[in-house]
């Protein structure tokens, strides 16, 4: 007998018993279920850039894997070194490295990655020594995220390597010099000519010293943090890259070397498919950019970081799920290095446990899921390929628009980028307010009785001032940078090498936001009331009828009001209107919400509303759309209606106002 389970040539006879599956047959079955509802509105999603996401795609024939990191090798499990005190940061970093991390990202005060404003202060070589004590720099990749201080930190690293006899070529350091990103985040710039001269001076000196790695970075996080779209993030990265290539060419560096001087940072979030497609699109766009400039496509050093804006302060354990999804997307997309924001990062300075979870999120996906072993697993997937190609198409078009304005610096200076980002941010905020984009733990399924996890106390370590100024030569071909290296090697601190900024360009800054902040502000207000009084403000759910009649709407109402910080327990039911009134009076609540079926609303809602108003209710809501009953219900005392698709933040703000009345 032929073994049909193991023979490679065996056909699946079982499948032949069924009619062939066709898209037409599937569509006919779908239309039968939709019963006249529009296919495009029900089953076709849209990204923030308006890209249609279809429910079904055919396989893309002939698709080849995109070249990314070396096949079969894992990405760098990078950990943030960001404790304000370099010595304390060193202890955490050594624990990270001994616990499985394979790289470090040094985050200093004022950097793009310093969203809380409490990151590390590195004033001089002594601080850098304290941070890196016991760290074998020649064994791990390091990325510097230092904002306007990146050049100074780079000079300190050069001084350290020279003093300690470390071969610069043995190091892999992404120095992260990024005057465009600093301008976009801060909203101020001395002028591009001066900023470009200083950046070029540092790049030329670092390359002359032979450091391995990259000197400049095109950092898309500044767009993502501010609420921008995937297309805007990609286009901004392309614009920054071209701005830097032109800058280095003008400084005398051949274009091929200029291209190798850059790395890229992207944000990845809980939208797995979109984040994977974005990372893949970056590879394709980079190759296209190099080809357009007459260069042979080369490897792009691509760093991914889990998104700041998706993190929540409330129910922060959900951040474990968000960051796991984001790391999965980055790994599948082909990122070379990945950083996970610890799950408590939105609350404060993460402790050792939070950092352990951050690195283990990656290690489990590598060591247990073997996620790195397949080169570009998304290749050929119809949906992923279509999304990748559409991101490429739109990002390239947006990049060209900003190029027509004179480049990304000119576009930022003319406030062309900021309103586009603000528009996307506002549209997403509206979707979140109506819970079309739910935030688990914040806008959906809140837990008002949660225990807030511990974070580290961030010491108040300020930048040292008052050092005697040291004159530096003008930025040219590395002379200024070399003077900084010499000064730091002699014990100078940054304030001695810094001068008051004489910025001439002032624009709207692309400040970081988190999507859950409006809900968290409401929660925080009532958390403070709870802490002061010992009792959480309540919303009384006036359930009418049997359990089957009220459970769905009572559950909806509880989730809605608790998202604003109220306590809204669901009662087991009441015998009559008098029992509802008495229970409300005993609850201590001043706000009530009626919950039941449409049929019982028609029969009982007005009587219940009148009874609750008589018992002292300041505000009455009804869960559901009122339909023809609206006029009568309002006359009976109903102040508003809560329903799916409504503006939840508006509902909650009105409820909060009743507490203040």
């Amino acid at each position: 007998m032929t073994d049909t389970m193991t023979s490679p040539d065996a056909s699946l006879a079982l499948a032949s018993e069924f009619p062939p599956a066709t898209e037409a047959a599937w569509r006919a079955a779908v239309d039968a279920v939709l019963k006249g509802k529009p296919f495009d509105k029900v089953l076709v999603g849209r990204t923030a850039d308006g890209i249609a996401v279809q429910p079904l795609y055919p396989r893309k024939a002939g698709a080849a894997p995109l070249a990314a990191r070396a096949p079969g090798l894992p990405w760098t499990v990078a950990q943030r070194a960001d404790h304000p005190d370099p010595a304390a940061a060193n202890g955490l970093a050594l624990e990270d490295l001994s616990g499985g991390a394979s790289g470090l990202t040094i985050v200093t005060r004022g950097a793009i990655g310093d969203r809380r404003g409490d990151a590390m202060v590195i004033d001089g070589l002594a601080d850098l020594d304290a941070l890196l004590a016991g760290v074998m720099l020649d064994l791990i990749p390091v990325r510097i995220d230092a904002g306007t201080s990146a050049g100074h930190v780079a000079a300190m690293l050069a001084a350290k390597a020279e003093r300690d006899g470390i071969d610069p070529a043995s190091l892999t350091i992404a120095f992260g010099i990024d005057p465009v990103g600093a301008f976009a985040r801060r909203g101020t710039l001395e002028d591009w000519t001066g900023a470009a001269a200083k950046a070029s001076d540092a790049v030329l000196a670092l390359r002359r010293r032979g450091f391995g790695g990259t000197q400049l970075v095109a950092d898309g996080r500044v767009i993502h943090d501010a609420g921008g779209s995937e297309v805007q993030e990609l286009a901004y990265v392309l614009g920054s890259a071209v701005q830097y290539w032109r800058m280095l060419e003008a400084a005398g560096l051949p274009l091929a070397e200029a291209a190798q001087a850059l790395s890229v940072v992207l944000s990845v979030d809980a939208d797995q498919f979109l984040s994977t497609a974005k990372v893949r699109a970056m590879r394709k766009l980079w190759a296209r950019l190099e080809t357009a400039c007459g260069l042979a496509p080369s490897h792009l050093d691509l760093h991914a970081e889990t998104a700041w804006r998706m993190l929540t302060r409330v129910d922060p354990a959900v951040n474990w799920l968000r960051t796991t999804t984001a790391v999965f997307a980055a790994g599948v997309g082909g990122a070379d290095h990945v950083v996970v924001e610890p799950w408590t990062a939105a609350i404060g300075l993460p402790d050792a446990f939070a950092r352990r979870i951050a690195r283990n999120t990656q290690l489990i996906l590598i060591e247990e899921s073997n996620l790195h072993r397949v080169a570009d697993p998304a290749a050929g997937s119809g949906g992923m390929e279509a999304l990748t190609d559409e991101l490429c198409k739109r990002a390239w078009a947006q990049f060209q628009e900003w190029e027509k304005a004179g480049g990304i610096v000119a576009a930022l200076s003319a406030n062309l980028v900021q309103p586009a980002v603000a528009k996307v941010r506002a549209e997403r905020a509206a979707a979140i307010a109506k819970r079309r984009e739910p935030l688990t733990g914040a806008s959906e399924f809140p837990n008002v009785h949660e225990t807030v996890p511990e974070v580290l106390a961030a010491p108040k370590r300020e930048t040292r001032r008052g050092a005697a100024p040291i004159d530096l030569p003008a930025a040219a071909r590395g002379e200024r940078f070399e003077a900084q290296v010499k000064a730091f090697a002699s014990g100078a601190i940054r304030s001695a090498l810094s001068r008051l900024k004489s910025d001439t360009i002032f624009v709207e800054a692309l400040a970081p936001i988190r999507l859950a902040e409006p809900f968290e502000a409401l929660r925080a207000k009532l958390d403070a009331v709870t802490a002061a009084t010992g009792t959480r403000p309540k919303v009384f759910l006036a359930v009418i009828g049997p359990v089957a009649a009220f459970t769905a709407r009572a559950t909806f109402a509880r989730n809605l009001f608790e998202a604003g910080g109220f306590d809204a327990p669901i009662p087991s039911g009441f015998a009559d209107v008098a029992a509802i009134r008495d229970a409300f009076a005993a609850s201590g609540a001043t706000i009530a919400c009626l919950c039941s079926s449409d049929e019982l609303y028609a029969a009982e809602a007005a009587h219940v509303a009148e009874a609750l108003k008589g018992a002292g209710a300041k505000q009455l809501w009804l869960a559901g759309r009122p339909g023809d009953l609206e006029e009568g219900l309002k006359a009976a005392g109903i102040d508003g209606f809560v329903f799916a698709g409504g503006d939840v933040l508006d509902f909650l703000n009105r409820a909060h106002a009743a507490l203040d009345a």
Side-chain angles (χ1 to χ4, degrees), residues 425-501:
R425 183 173 63 242
E427 290 171 350
R428 183 177 284 109
I432 289 170
K434 294 183 177 181
R435 299 202 291 196
R436 292 198 303 269
E437 291 188 20
L439 302 175
T440 303
S443 69
E444 294 270 24
F445 310 112
N447 178 13
V448 293
H449 304 293
E450 67 183 352
T451 300
V452 179
E454 293 183 0
V455 294
L456 298 176
K460 298 291 184 181
R461 189 171 189 273
E462 301 297 337
T463 299
R464 282 178 283 168
R465 305 288 183 187
I470 298 174
D471 290 330
L472 296 173
R477 296 190 55 80
E479 293 85 355
R480 179 186 177 86
F481 184 86
E482 293 297 345
Q484 290 175 328
V485 173
K486 182 178 179 180
F488 285 126
S490 300
I493 61 174
R494 285 195 304 118
S495 63
L497 306 182
S498 302
R499 298 293 180 271
L500 290 175
K501 298 290 184 182

Side-chain angles (χ1 to χ4, degrees), residues 213-591:
T214 58
Q215 296 78 49
L216 297 165
V217 65
D219 195 339
R221 292 177 303 162
V222 70
I223 297 293
H224 197 276
D225 282 1
S229 70
E230 289 72 26
V231 163
Q232 290 169 343
E233 184 178 358
L234 291 168
Y236 170 87
V237 168
L238 293 176
S240 296
V242 170
Q243 190 85 43
Y244 290 141
W245 290 0
R246 291 182 178 130
M247 175 188 83
L248 293 179
E249 264 202 312
L253 197 67
L255 184 57
E257 290 190 44
Q260 293 301 308
L262 257 75
S263 58
V264 163
V265 182
L266 296 177
S267 290
V268 284
D269 60 26
D271 191 322
Q272 175 190 323
F273 293 152
L274 202 50
S275 291
T276 298
K278 181 171 68 176
V279 175
R280 297 180 79 247
M282 189 70 255
R283 298 280 187 199
K284 298 183 74 170
L285 287 165
W286 192 262
R288 182 176 182 184
L289 192 63
E290 289 181 311
T291 302
C293 294
L295 300 173
S298 59
H299 178 75
L300 166 66
D301 187 44
L302 200 158
H303 301 250
E305 183 172 291
T306 59
W308 169 254
R309 77 184 188 199
M310 73 176 178
L311 298 180
T312 60
R313 291 175 57 90
V314 295
D315 208 353
V318 180
N319 292 330
W320 294 24
L321 305 179
R322 296 184 180 104
T323 53
T324 299
T325 303
V327 173
F328 185 98
V332 169
D336 295 294
H337 319 268
V338 180
V339 171
V340 172
E341 279 276 11
W343 65 290
T344 58
I347 299 172
L349 192 63
D351 63 7
F353 176 70
R355 297 175 67 88
R356 174 187 171 192
I357 296 301
R359 65 178 184 266
N360 282 356
T361 299
Q362 302 198 55
L363 291 172
I364 289 171
L365 290 174
I366 292 172
E367 301 294 343
E368 296 187 20
S369 299
N370 289 286
L371 201 64
H372 60 292
R373 298 200 183 278
V374 178
D376 193 15
S381 164
M384 290 304 305
E385 293 285 9
L387 193 52
T388 300
D389 291 345
E390 195 65 28
L391 285 173
C392 287
K393 174 184 174 183
R394 295 182 183 226
W396 190 263
Q398 180 63 79
F399 158 65
Q400 289 180 312
E401 286 298 313
W402 289 338
E403 281 295 292
K404 290 177 184 176
I408 194 63
V409 170
L412 287 165
S413 300
N415 272 316
L416 298 178
V417 180
Q418 296 90 329
V421 172
K423 180 175 182 293
V424 173
R425 183 173 63 242
E427 290 171 350
R428 183 177 284 109
I432 289 170
K434 294 183 177 181
R435 299 202 291 196
R436 292 198 303 269
E437 291 188 20
L439 302 175
T440 303
S443 69
E444 294 270 24
F445 310 112
N447 178 13
V448 293
H449 304 293
E450 67 183 352
T451 300
V452 179
E454 293 183 0
V455 294
L456 298 176
K460 298 291 184 181
R461 189 171 189 273
E462 301 297 337
T463 299
R464 282 178 283 168
R465 305 288 183 187
I470 298 174
D471 290 330
L472 296 173
R477 296 190 55 80
E479 293 85 355
R480 179 186 177 86
F481 184 86
E482 293 297 345
Q484 290 175 328
V485 173
K486 182 178 179 180
F488 285 126
S490 300
I493 61 174
R494 285 195 304 118
S495 63
L497 306 182
S498 302
R499 298 293 180 271
L500 290 175
K501 298 290 184 182
S502 55
D503 291 345
T504 61
I505 303 174
F506 299 88
V507 298
E508 179 186 350
L510 290 171
I513 56 107
R514 285 183 303 101
L515 302 177
E517 285 176 318
F519 287 94
E520 292 171 351
L522 293 170
R523 285 276 296 272
K525 179 181 176 182
L526 296 198
D527 287 348
V529 172
T530 304
T533 65
T535 303
R536 182 169 292 278
K538 293 182 175 60
V539 171
F540 177 78
L541 300 185
V543 298
I544 306 171
V547 171
F550 66 70
T551 295
R553 280 176 170 160
T555 301
F556 169 83
R558 180 186 65 188
N559 283 329
L560 184 148
F561 286 108
E562 291 192 349
F566 293 95
D567 190 8
I570 300 176
S572 56
F574 302 103
D576 51 31
V577 174
I580 295 175
R581 180 198 61 214
D582 293 344
F584 170 75
S587 70
T590 59
I591 302 171

Side-chain angles (χ1 to χ4, degrees), residues 27 34 37-46 54:
R27 182 60 187 267
L34 290 176
K37 295 179 182 177
F39 178 91
D40 287 347
K41 289 187 177 181
V42 176
L43 292 181
V44 178
R46 297 276 173 181
Q54 300 292 336

